Amino acid sequence: MSETVTQAAVEAVAVRAPGTDPASVPGASGARPFWRRLRAQRAALVAAVVVALLVLVALAAPLLTALEGQDPTTYHPSLIDSARGGVPIGPLGGVSGEHWLGVEPQTGRDLFARLVHGARVSLGVALAATVIQVAIGVTLGIASALGNRWVDQLLSRITDVFVALPLMIMSLALLAIVPASFPRPLLVTLVIGLISWGNIAKVVRAQTLTLKNLDHVSAARLSGWGSWRIARRELLPGLAGPVITYAALLVPQNITVEAALSFLGVGVKPPTPSWGQMLTAADVWYQAAPQYLLLPAAALFVTVLALTVLGDGVRTALDPRAASRLRVGTGRRRENRAAAARKEESS
């Protein structure tokens, strides 16, 4: 996943340096062209709606569970059949008016409540880790590109070390030695954010090296502006395109990492619900109670797919010269037919 994200981000900035073209930066030519190009991509719009609904569900999780009249931690032993090993009583895993998606095997905890509260953990960890990665990567990438040769070499070697670190192995080691009293969602967020910022730092450094040779940056330097003022006023607008693109691709990667860590038993601990943790407990119930496995797996799949499609749409909207890798909902067939018609007319 990490190599795929890195390759996608490099492609996003390698086709054309978005920061060198004002049309490719929303703040440079106004947000309207960006939103117009984004709205023209139906797949990106659908993905944006799905992401917005997921975020709304995560934020409104306490309200939704209160509306159902349940919570994610209360056991309901009367709703499981202990004689059959803890299988939920009733059709479809105990679906009823009181339990909209049924209950968990063995515990009888409400599945809908744990699913929506799990969305808060999974999305919250992914978004917070992405903010940390972007903050560290942008800061060190700009510092490396604007610093002297020794600073650049030092920061580049540090970045190379973090890029080479195996995220899952380091996360497993760190999460295993931290005391259980430390809040696990916060710990997972810090581990992911503080380890896997190297790739975005390399992208920002490469882009900054291109931008700092432009005329307006040179003029600012000759005017006596300091490095950080130049970075804030002249470079950050040009870096908006690749940084936003990379951040949009990092979110689904971080969701997958959090789910994998919880699945391996070193991430979020019970009773705090998490999609990855739910998958861990569901691996022995896929035959007796398949919805216990399918619901969190489907939620993960839809979330990662929607964020990936939205990230590709944002990349294409920020840099209209870079064609989308997705053919669905991008209007490429219509564009190809129009190009073929123009070619026939010219011949």
Side-chain angles (χ1 to χ4, degrees):
M1 174 68 76
S2 178
E3 295 178 356
T4 303
V5 172
T6 306
Q7 183 179 0
V10 171
E11 291 176 357
V13 299
V15 175
R16 180 181 177 87
T20 63
D21 183 6
S24 65
V25 181
S29 59
R32 291 183 179 179
F34 166 76
W35 290 115
R36 185 173 62 250
R37 290 190 293 266
L38 187 62
R39 287 196 302 267
Q41 304 179 64
R42 293 189 298 273
L45 284 181
V46 173
V49 171
V50 172
V51 172
L53 289 175
L54 289 168
V55 173
L56 182 62
V57 167
L59 293 176
L63 178 62
L64 293 173
T65 53
L67 184 63
E68 187 195 22
Q70 304 295 334
D71 64 78
T73 59
T74 301
Y75 284 54
H76 299 91
S78 62
L79 299 179
I80 58 174
D81 188 354
S82 57
R84 298 174 55 199
V87 176
I89 299 173
L92 301 176
V95 173
S96 64
E98 296 181 351
H99 302 278
W100 296 347
L101 296 179
V103 296
E104 281 187 343
Q106 286 191 320
T107 65
R109 291 180 295 195
D110 186 78
L111 192 55
F112 174 79
R114 294 188 64 77
L115 195 66
V116 295
H117 278 271
R120 304 189 86 188
V121 173
S122 296
L123 290 175
V125 168
L127 292 173
T130 300
V131 171
I132 296 174
Q133 291 168 313
V134 169
I136 297 176
V138 170
T139 301
L140 294 186
I142 293 177
S144 178
L146 295 182
N148 57 38
R149 184 166 64 91
W150 297 106
V151 172
D152 186 23
Q153 287 293 324
L154 175 62
L155 294 180
S156 296
R157 299 295 78 77
I158 294 175
T159 302
D160 291 338
V161 170
F162 276 86
V163 170
L165 287 177
L167 174 60
M168 291 300 297
I169 296 177
M170 292 298 299
S171 300
L172 289 171
L174 293 175
L175 291 170
I177 63 176
V178 174
S181 59
F182 195 93
R184 282 287 162 163
L186 176 60
L187 179 59
V188 173
T189 300
L190 292 175
V191 168
I192 296 175
L194 295 177
I195 292 179
S196 55
W197 51 265
N199 288 323
I200 191 170
K202 295 178 76 68
V203 170
V204 170
R205 175 184 176 275
Q207 188 69 10
T208 303
L209 289 175
T210 301
L211 293 175
K212 76 174 188 178
N213 294 322
L214 298 181
D215 293 340
H216 64 91
V217 179
S218 300
R221 189 182 300 111
L222 292 175
S223 300
W225 286 16
S227 297
W228 288 111
R229 187 180 181 187
I230 292 175
R232 186 178 69 255
R233 299 287 298 275
E234 303 295 337
L235 296 179
L236 285 180
L239 292 171
V243 169
I244 293 174
T245 298
Y246 200 97
L249 294 170
L250 276 176
V251 176
Q253 175 192 352
N254 291 338
I255 289 178
T256 306
V257 172
E258 185 277 327
L261 292 173
S262 297
F263 180 80
L264 294 173
V266 295
V268 178
K269 298 291 186 180
T272 304
S274 166
W275 290 344
Q277 178 201 111
M278 294 173 70
L279 289 173
T280 303
D283 59 351
V284 297
W285 295 99
Y286 64 92
Q287 290 183 337
Q291 79 285 347
Y292 187 32
L293 174 67
L294 294 177
L295 286 174
L300 270 174
F301 174 78
V302 170
T303 303
V304 172
L305 178 62
L307 286 168
T308 302
V309 174
L310 180 59
D312 185 84
V314 170
R315 179 186 69 88
T316 307
L318 287 171
D319 187 5
R321 292 175 175 81
S324 173
R325 295 187 299 274
L326 300 174
R327 294 182 177 273
V328 179
T330 59
R332 295 188 68 172
R333 293 182 179 178
R334 183 169 60 254
E335 294 175 0
N336 292 337
R337 287 197 298 268
R342 289 194 298 268
K343 184 176 181 180
E344 292 179 358
E345 291 176 359
S346 62
S347 60

